[in-house]
């Protein structure tokens, strides 16, 4: 019970205060959930986005989707602050995917979400065509753009969505 309360304290901005005690208690807990909670609290306390993303995976595997969403969201915020927009957007997407599995649950830790820059109309148009498998040359003829401009639009779309290429673009726009 104390591990759960310490996790809640950390979720409400008391991670540094909870980290030492939860690290002491985690080895005494049965199962993987206690150590996953401790990892979450420690990563929050240390403001370590890589640890937060690692614990997101653990929490997701355990079915703790709200905590996983919060961990990924915290990572997104930290990555945005560090000037890593692509990784931040990817972490925000992981957060959103976990949050969707929580049937509308809300928490203070999810309200700290970073706003992903919206796609412009032209970026969205190019992205939708690329997601359908339309080659760059064909996209360039439809909205009357050069191949290079289409590629520039796609690079901005990839950065905003936290993805690396057309396959992920198709997956993201389908989801």
């Amino acid at each position: 019970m104390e591990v759960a309360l310490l996790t809640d304290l950390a979720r409400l901005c008391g991670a540094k205060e909870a980290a030492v005690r939860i690290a002491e208690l985690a080895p005494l807990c049965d199962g993987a959930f206690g150590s996953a909670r401790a990892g979450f609290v420690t990563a929050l306390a240390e403001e370590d986005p890589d640890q937060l993303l690692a614990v997101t995976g653990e929490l997701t595997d355990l079915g703790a989707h709200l905590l996983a969403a919060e961990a990924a969201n915290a990572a997104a915020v930290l990555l945005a602050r560090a000037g890593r927009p692509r990784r931040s957007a990817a972490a925000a997407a992981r957060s959103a995917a976990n949050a969707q599995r929580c049937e509308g649950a809300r928490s203070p830790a999810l309200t700290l979400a970073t706003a992903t820059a919206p796609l412009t109309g032209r970026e969205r148009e190019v992205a939708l065509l690329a997601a359908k498998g339309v080659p760059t040359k064909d996209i360039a003829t439809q909205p009357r753009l050069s191949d290079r401009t289409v590629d520039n639009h796609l690079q901005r779309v990839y950065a905003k969505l936290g993805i690396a290429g057309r396959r992920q673009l198709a997956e993201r726009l389908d989801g």
Side-chain angles (χ1 to χ4, degrees):
M1 184 61 94
E2 188 177 352
V3 169
L5 292 172
L6 289 167
T7 303
D8 287 344
L9 173 64
R11 293 168 66 206
L12 297 170
C13 300
K16 289 185 175 146
E17 294 82 0
V20 172
R21 181 65 180 149
I22 202 167
E24 294 170 355
L25 293 173
L28 305 175
C29 297
D30 292 332
F33 198 40
S35 66
R37 283 177 179 265
F40 174 50
V41 172
T42 300
L44 282 174
E46 295 175 0
E47 297 185 353
D48 185 330
D50 293 324
Q51 279 185 318
L52 284 163
L53 290 173
V55 81
T56 296
E58 290 177 46
L59 292 165
T60 299
D61 291 345
L62 291 168
H65 298 291
L66 183 58
L67 289 178
E70 291 174 353
N73 186 64
V77 170
L78 292 169
L79 289 164
R81 280 189 208 150
R84 307 286 308 267
R86 187 175 296 222
R87 287 195 64 211
S88 175
R94 286 182 74 183
S95 176
N98 273 292
Q100 282 181 337
R101 300 174 99 179
C102 298
E103 301 178 16
R106 294 183 181 192
S107 77
L110 289 178
T111 61
L112 300 174
T114 57
T116 303
L119 299 180
T120 66
R122 183 62 63 138
E123 288 169 346
R124 182 151 186 76
E125 181 181 357
V126 168
L128 289 170
L129 290 169
K132 291 178 184 175
V134 178
T136 296
K137 284 186 178 198
D138 293 342
I139 294 172
T141 62
Q142 292 182 27
R144 309 244 187 268
L145 302 170
S146 71
D147 291 358
R148 184 177 177 132
T149 301
V150 170
D151 289 337
N152 288 338
H153 280 307
L154 287 173
Q155 288 305 311
R156 283 193 298 276
V157 168
Y158 299 158
K160 287 179 179 182
L161 298 179
I163 59 177
R166 286 179 184 240
R167 184 179 330 129
Q168 289 179 318
L169 179 62
E171 292 168 2
R172 178 66 56 85
L173 294 180
D174 282 344

